[in-house]
Amino acid sequence: MTADASQEKVGVIGAGRMGRSIAAACALAGYDFYLIDLRQRDDAAFATLQQDIVTELQGIFLSLQKMDMLKDKHIDTLIQKIHVTGSGQASLVLPQMTILLEAVPETIEAKQQALAIVSTYATSTTIVASTSSTMLVSQLADLISHPERFMNAHWLNPAYLVPLVEIASHPGTATVLQARLMRWLESIGKVAVLCQGQPGYIVPRLQVLLMNEAARMIEQGAATAEEIDKAIRYGFGPRYASMGVVEFIDFGGVDILYHASRYLEESLQDARYRCPDIVNRKMQNGNLGIKSGEGFYHWTSERATRFQRQSMERFAHILQEKDMPDGD
């Protein structure tokens, strides 16, 4: 951990699947973590919740242990790092938090209730980040006091395995607090990316298009579900794990994307394949990617050579680690 990141006291409001997954990620990184349940429960119901959480966390850590991913960490020690607290303790726990994540259900009513409690009990300098994958950060910022400390941190499931966290701010977010949240995320082994607070962020927006197109291909009889999934697992997936999608545009050539888009739009009679204006402009200006030295990235000869070598090495490594189909 970096010096400042190690001083953070962190927790999540919401003891559901996402909250538990984030708790596991933080415990693995060495943090004592507060899993805060805001629902009104009697003692028996709260005890049941605690046992459910412990059982699920034990299952998570046991699966990681079987994959040889715990190294010298002990499951009991990890479980002890996660402190489950109920609504009756919120007034005591929330003022101690320096970073507080919100992972309640994706309804405006649930968000409003949770952020009202945060506004009441957390300090005005506590960084607060919703984990919403659908709601606009600018909309949620209206629900909290001192909105300059508010942003969105979209974790991908399972949070204890997937490195990526998408950070989206609203116009009033303090940049110094955004930077502090990103430093903390990096301290627990995450890769934080910044995006504008628009619907879908980065991954969900790309993912919805891909999933809908897969379903449409099945509907049209273009391929079966099994063949599509095989193509993703052994072609599309490894390719885009070894280089980013925009890097791939420059690698193959902006002109290739341009012509392929025009062909598919015409052949399938579907405007969904139409090139965006930015591709048309780059085509007109001769900014074709690696081959011209300029595309979505700037490419020197040295950078292009290094990129091609490193991406091919990553691709080969992924294929070596991948289980090949058994042919049945």
Side-chain angles (χ1 to χ4, degrees):
M1 302 179 190
T2 60
D4 57 346
S6 66
Q7 302 302 313
E8 305 290 6
K9 196 159 189 177
V10 291
V12 61
I13 289 180
R17 185 59 53 84
M18 177 56 78
R20 299 175 193 187
S21 190
I22 293 172
C26 293
L28 286 166
Y31 272 89
D32 282 297
F33 190 83
Y34 291 80
L35 190 54
I36 306 164
D37 174 54
L38 293 182
R39 292 188 180 181
Q40 297 295 323
R41 305 177 193 268
D42 60 27
D43 291 345
F46 185 68
T48 299
L49 174 70
Q50 285 181 305
Q51 186 55 55
D52 287 346
I53 290 171
V54 169
T55 299
E56 183 170 345
L57 290 170
Q58 286 173 333
I60 288 172
F61 294 135
L62 183 60
S63 67
L64 294 177
Q65 187 178 66
K66 290 179 178 178
M67 292 185 285
D68 198 28
M69 297 181 67
L70 284 192
K71 298 182 180 178
D72 58 347
K73 298 182 177 70
H74 299 287
I75 291 178
D76 289 345
T77 302
L78 293 170
I79 294 292
Q80 290 169 9
K81 285 187 169 296
I82 299 169
H83 310 282
V84 183
T85 63
S87 59
Q89 298 170 290
S91 62
L92 300 176
V93 173
L94 291 178
Q96 302 176 46
M97 298 295 101
T98 61
I99 293 177
L100 187 62
L101 305 169
E102 171 273 299
V104 300
E106 290 283 89
T107 68
I108 195 65
E109 293 80 13
K111 304 291 187 189
Q112 188 171 28
Q113 179 187 24
L115 294 177
I117 292 173
V118 171
S119 297
T120 300
Y121 295 116
T123 70
S124 61
T125 58
T126 300
I127 294 174
V128 182
S130 175
T131 64
S132 176
S133 61
T134 57
M135 296 185 182
L136 291 177
V137 62
S138 55
Q139 178 186 15
L140 296 178
D142 292 336
L143 304 178
I144 191 170
S145 64
H146 301 283
E148 69 279 357
R149 43 74 178 271
F150 184 77
M151 61 204 85
N152 200 79
H154 174 227
W155 301 59
L156 276 69
N157 260 322
Y160 54 87
L161 280 180
V162 181
L164 184 68
V165 180
E166 298 176 318
I167 304 298
S169 301
H170 63 94
T173 301
T175 55
V176 65
L177 298 182
Q178 175 184 277
R180 202 174 108 205
L181 177 64
M182 294 183 73
R183 284 196 301 271
W184 173 71
L185 287 167
E186 290 166 358
S187 80
I188 64 169
K190 296 301 174 184
V191 176
V193 296
L194 288 175
C195 57
Q196 296 298 313
Q198 296 183 2
Y201 303 102
I202 298 174
V203 171
R205 186 166 168 177
L206 291 170
Q207 192 169 263
V208 165
L209 288 174
L210 178 64
M211 292 189 295
N212 276 332
E213 193 63 19
R216 190 173 288 110
M217 291 170 68
I218 296 169
E219 181 179 61
Q220 296 173 347
T224 65
E226 293 78 10
E227 296 305 308
I228 291 171
D229 283 341
K230 190 183 295 183
I232 293 294
R233 290 184 63 201
Y234 296 99
F236 190 99
R239 168 184 285 173
Y240 291 110
S242 61
M243 67 175 73
V245 64
V246 183
E247 290 174 332
F248 185 73
I249 296 173
D250 276 7
F251 179 75
V254 174
D255 52 329
I256 301 298
L257 174 61
Y258 173 83
H259 292 301
S261 299
R262 287 170 60 89
Y263 174 78
L264 288 172
E265 180 187 4
E266 182 178 340
S267 299
L268 297 175
Q269 293 293 295
D270 197 327
R272 289 180 301 111
Y273 293 97
R274 184 173 300 157
C275 281
D277 289 342
I278 190 171
V279 171
N280 293 326
R281 290 196 301 271
K282 289 186 180 298
M283 189 70 181
Q284 292 168 4
N285 295 332
N287 296 329
L288 306 182
I290 285 178
K291 66 182 73 177
S292 68
E294 192 76 35
F296 285 90
Y297 292 92
H298 175 71
W299 299 96
T300 63
S301 176
E302 180 182 348
R303 181 183 181 186
T305 299
R306 183 172 63 253
F307 167 75
Q308 292 184 60
R309 183 188 72 251
Q310 291 175 343
S311 60
M312 289 303 103
E313 288 174 351
R314 286 193 294 268
F315 189 72
H317 178 73
I318 291 167
L319 292 181
Q320 288 170 357
E321 295 295 321
K322 180 171 284 296
D323 293 331
M324 296 305 291
D326 55 19
D328 57 13

